Amino acid sequence: MKIICIGRNYADHAKELNNPIPAAPLIFMKPSSALLVNQKPLYYPEFTEELHYEAEVVLKIDRNGRHVQEEFAHKYYSQIALGIDFTARDIQRRCKAKGHPWEIAKGFDGSAALGSFVPLDEVRGENGIEFFLHKNGEEVQRGRTRDLLFPFDRLIVEVSRYFKLHMGDLIFTGTPAGVGPVQIGDELEGFAIRRGPAREAIPLLRCAIK
Ligand code: ZN
């Protein structure tokens, strides 16, 4: 199982970190040992002093494929979850400054928190998927996948040019603006809006920092 992640996929988030808007999706990976499921807490890693949350919509890959064409890309996923791409921002900054790989800042144990999956049809409306993140009960991030620089189908095409997609692989599709630090004791909760006029918020993800 692979965890594929997309960086800078919302213009407002690229801007908040003073990064240019990419011409192609920025792709990186986390190892399977990064996965944090079943609402388990994340233990604040000792090597960072700036642990950040990044709430993201996560696609689960339904079938195997490589070199997928755009017209078929939608057949490769049918469920989404919310996830948190935990990032040691201080380490990432150091790695980037030196031109080094940033796995230690992004792929450490527990850095890929993943909530429960829902069928895409349940949550995809005219704005794509609308989702938000609470930190200790207050909203800190809100996004809608209509604003993705590279939408889901385009991600499937681009990723599968380099990496064979396997059933069960995950794609973290990028984070909107509002990323920020967490401290020990914080509680994060992710919600998606159910499709339809009631705009019911479905709780999909919970993660405490310990
Ligand atoms: Zn991210």
Side-chain angles (χ1 to χ4, degrees):
M1 192 273 289
K2 298 188 284 302
I3 306 171
I4 298 150
C5 302
I6 309 299
R8 302 176 202 166
N9 205 10
Y10 290 86
D12 56 354
H13 169 63
K15 212 165 141 192
E16 75 178 342
L17 294 185
N18 290 316
N19 286 316
I21 288 173
L26 197 160
I27 301 169
F28 62 97
M29 307 258 237
K30 295 180 188 251
S32 55
S33 48
L35 202 59
L36 185 68
V37 292
N38 300 328
Q39 305 190 4
K40 282 190 193 145
L42 177 67
Y43 290 92
Y44 200 108
E46 42 75 27
F47 49 77
T48 177
E49 287 169 0
E50 200 182 354
L51 180 64
H52 273 199
Y53 58 79
E54 296 188 356
E56 313 200 355
V57 172
V58 181
L59 305 181
K60 185 193 264 178
I61 298 299
D62 281 343
R63 55 195 284 182
N64 299 347
R66 54 201 300 263
H67 300 295
V68 177
Q69 289 175 283
E70 188 136 14
E71 54 185 313
F72 302 118
H74 66 277
K75 296 174 187 259
Y76 284 76
Y77 56 91
S78 59
Q79 296 179 74
I80 67 104
L82 296 180
I84 298 180
D85 166 17
F86 280 110
T87 303
R89 195 71 71 197
D90 47 354
I91 310 275
Q92 186 194 31
R93 213 179 290 121
R94 243 175 277 156
C95 293
K96 279 164 74 176
K98 292 181 182 162
H100 289 174
W102 68 25
E103 277 86 353
I104 57 169
K106 285 268 195 191
F108 53 86
D109 296 347
S111 62
L114 181 69
S116 24
F117 281 90
V118 287
L120 199 55
D121 295 342
E122 242 178 75
V123 288
R124 187 159 61 179
E126 58 185 20
N127 290 322
I129 298 156
E130 296 185 59
F131 63 103
F132 56 97
L133 183 74
H134 280 183
K135 184 172 96 170
N136 304 325
E138 283 191 27
E139 184 176 311
V140 286
Q141 277 193 290
R142 180 173 282 264
R144 48 185 202 180
T145 57
R146 193 177 78 172
D147 297 330
L148 285 171
L149 297 171
F150 302 100
F152 296 159
D153 288 357
R154 185 71 198 290
L155 294 178
I156 297 287
V157 171
E158 291 287 335
V159 167
S160 70
R161 290 174 66 195
Y162 305 96
F163 306 105
K164 182 176 180 184
L165 294 173
H166 282 137
M167 239 161 78
D169 287 349
L170 301 171
I171 304 183
F172 280 62
T173 58
T175 197
V179 302
V182 283
Q183 311 297 340
I184 290 172
D186 284 347
E187 298 261 358
L188 299 171
E189 282 177 293
F191 302 84
I193 306 287
R194 193 186 298 283
R195 189 170 80 175
R199 296 187 55 79
E200 178 201 349
I202 319 170
L204 287 180
L205 170 76
R206 180 192 288 269
C207 184
I209 312 299
K210 289 199 172 170

